[in-house]
């Protein structure tokens, strides 16, 4: 026959483990929308825009604030030359840079890589088209400036609703700890009842 103290300790530990498991499940099931990653929500010039006069700057707008310290923004013309001409500026969720005078008519690629405030890297590219050539000389290709790497802007739907790994790790640690506590509590109780 088991001792009443052992039964009550075991019940308490099982109850605690069950509460931790329920809390973890609640966090995992509700964290999807809150864990959605930041993304590009707008730009000027807009993606796919056909413009007949060269813009003075490019501005990207994200759906959450970004960190300027890790940001890069490139504008590459149809001739392969870089046209970004000023320091990057970040204002909350906006990132912008002034442009040098654009050259030939054609497709310009805006490439970007930023880190959101939650630490998630966001990268991508989009194009706009200049329909009339600018009479000023095109910008020189700068060997020190990295070329823009076209990357798809859209992220998979599954990725945006994913539960962050740290939540799963914390939950696993809590569950293992609770299980270990139950085992140790039961073994101590059995050892002390002898």
């Amino acid at each position: 026959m088991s001792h009443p103290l052992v039964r009550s300790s075991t019940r308490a530990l099982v109850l605690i483990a069950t509460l931790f498991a329920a809390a973890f499940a609640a966090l995992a099931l509700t964290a999807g929308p809150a864990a959605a990653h930041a993304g590009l929500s707008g730009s000027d010039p807009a993606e796919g825009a056909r413009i007949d006069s060269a813009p003075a700057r490019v501005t990207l707008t994200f759906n959450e604030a970004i960190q300027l310290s890790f940001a890069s923004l490139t504008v590459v013309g149809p001739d392969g030359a870089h046209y970004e001409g000023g320091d990057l500026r970040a204002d909350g969720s906006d990132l912008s840079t002034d442009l040098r005078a654009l050259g030939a008519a054609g497709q310009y690629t805006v490439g970007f890589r930023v880190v959101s405030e939650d630490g998630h890297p966001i990268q991508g590219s989009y194009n706009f088209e200049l329909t009339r050539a600018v009479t000023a000389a095109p910008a020189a290709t700068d060997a020190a400036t990295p070329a823009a790497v076209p990357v798809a802007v859209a992220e998979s739907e599954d990725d945006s609703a994913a539960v962050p790994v740290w939540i799963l790790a914390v939950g696993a640690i809590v569950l293992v700890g609770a299980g270990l506590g139950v085992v140790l509590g039961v073994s101590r109780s059995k050892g002390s009842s002898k």
Side-chain angles (χ1 to χ4, degrees):
M1 178 175 231
S2 65
H3 194 273
L5 183 59
V6 172
R7 276 187 267 141
S8 66
S9 295
T10 303
R11 285 184 188 152
L13 289 173
V14 168
L15 178 63
I16 290 171
T18 304
L19 290 174
F20 276 121
F24 173 72
L27 282 174
L29 293 174
T30 60
H37 299 305
L40 184 65
S41 62
S43 60
D44 182 23
E47 179 176 3
R50 294 177 44 92
I51 54 178
D52 58 358
S53 62
R57 80 182 49 81
V58 169
T59 302
L60 305 178
T61 302
F62 297 89
N63 62 350
E64 54 181 69
I66 56 166
Q67 300 177 28
L68 180 60
S69 56
F70 300 108
S72 70
L73 193 150
T74 59
V75 180
V76 180
D79 56 357
H82 282 259
Y83 290 90
E84 62 276 4
D87 292 332
L88 287 177
R89 291 180 300 279
D91 182 16
S93 62
D94 290 343
L95 178 70
S96 64
T97 188
D98 292 333
L99 296 177
R100 297 180 182 137
L102 300 186
Q107 191 173 66
Y108 287 77
T109 301
V110 176
F112 61 90
R113 179 170 170 81
V114 298
V115 176
S116 65
E117 281 195 340
D118 68 0
H120 178 74
I122 308 158
Q123 65 182 13
S125 64
Y126 74 91
N127 299 313
F128 68 89
E129 184 178 349
L130 182 63
T131 58
R132 292 187 190 168
V134 176
T135 56
T141 302
D142 185 358
T145 305
V149 178
V151 178
V153 173
E155 295 183 15
S156 70
E157 290 180 25
D158 293 336
D159 187 36
S160 66
V163 176
V165 174
W166 69 268
I167 289 179
L168 295 175
V170 168
I173 290 169
V174 167
L175 288 175
V176 168
L180 188 59
V182 168
V183 169
L184 290 175
V186 169
S187 65
R188 279 189 195 154
S189 297
K190 285 184 179 180
S192 64
S193 65
K194 288 183 181 180

